[in-house]
Amino acid sequence: MACQPPPSVTASSLPPLLRPQLAEARRVRAVELFEDGVSNAEIARTVGVCAESVRRWRRVWEQDGASGLRRRAAIGRPPKLDDTQVEMARAALEQGARAHGFEADLWTLERVDAVATRATGAVLSSASVWRLLTGSLGWSLQRPERRAVEREESEIAGWIAHEWPRIRKGP
């Protein structure tokens, strides 16, 4: 069974650069509550996580102490962009695509790659560009609505009000 936080506390509603720090702050608050003898259910409500997470944290806390719940350094290959370069890329991208010579203000991976490379000097793969956008910058995939330029809302509303009921009723 998946463990979901309450709707009021979702990862998508949090600033992207603060998710790891917020998760650690929740665990640290849980440790304080463990030491005060608060129940797992009450801790779960207080810090905004499910009870299973609190039970798992309590087991780690009992075994390793508070240090066991501290955030650890990421393992694996280091990111291609450091924090300064990510902020340089963010600033460049927030100017918009037109500011960088593109005819439409629409971002594609290729365009983001070109702008990020110009801003930071680092050559990124498509996967790295995607991680930059969705992970470091917190952007999400947005697809433009496809609508005809000639579309007239007033005529559509009139058709729905008059013609559609006649067609729906049938002969």
Side-chain angles (χ1 to χ4, degrees), residues 21-105:
Q21 293 91 342
L22 180 64
E24 183 178 21
R26 284 181 175 153
R27 292 190 303 269
V28 167
R29 178 68 179 130
V31 166
E32 294 169 357
L33 296 171
F34 292 154
E35 292 168 348
D36 291 343
V38 179
S39 71
N40 287 354
E42 184 59 33
I43 294 171
R45 278 191 295 279
T46 302
V47 299
V49 298
C50 65
E52 177 57 33
S53 294
V54 177
R55 284 191 292 275
R56 192 173 15 54
W57 295 347
R58 188 179 290 271
R59 283 192 304 268
V60 171
W61 174 70
E62 288 170 349
Q63 188 176 32
D64 302 329
S67 62
L69 293 172
R70 291 283 182 188
R71 195 169 54 143
R72 293 174 189 83
I75 58 171
R77 185 180 183 138
K80 288 193 173 188
L81 301 179
D82 60 23
D83 292 342
T84 305
Q85 289 173 312
V86 168
E87 287 309 312
M88 290 167 52
R90 179 192 306 273
L93 294 171
E94 285 177 348
Q95 293 173 0
R98 289 181 192 240
H100 294 282
F102 300 108
E103 64 182 58
D105 219 1

Side-chain angles (χ1 to χ4, degrees), residues 139-158:
W139 289 21
S140 62
L141 176 64
Q142 304 288 315
R143 297 195 185 215
E145 288 186 17
R146 297 191 183 273
R147 291 191 170 193
V149 176
E150 305 86 10
R151 179 181 172 109
E152 294 193 28
E153 296 297 328
S154 60
E155 294 211 15
I156 293 170

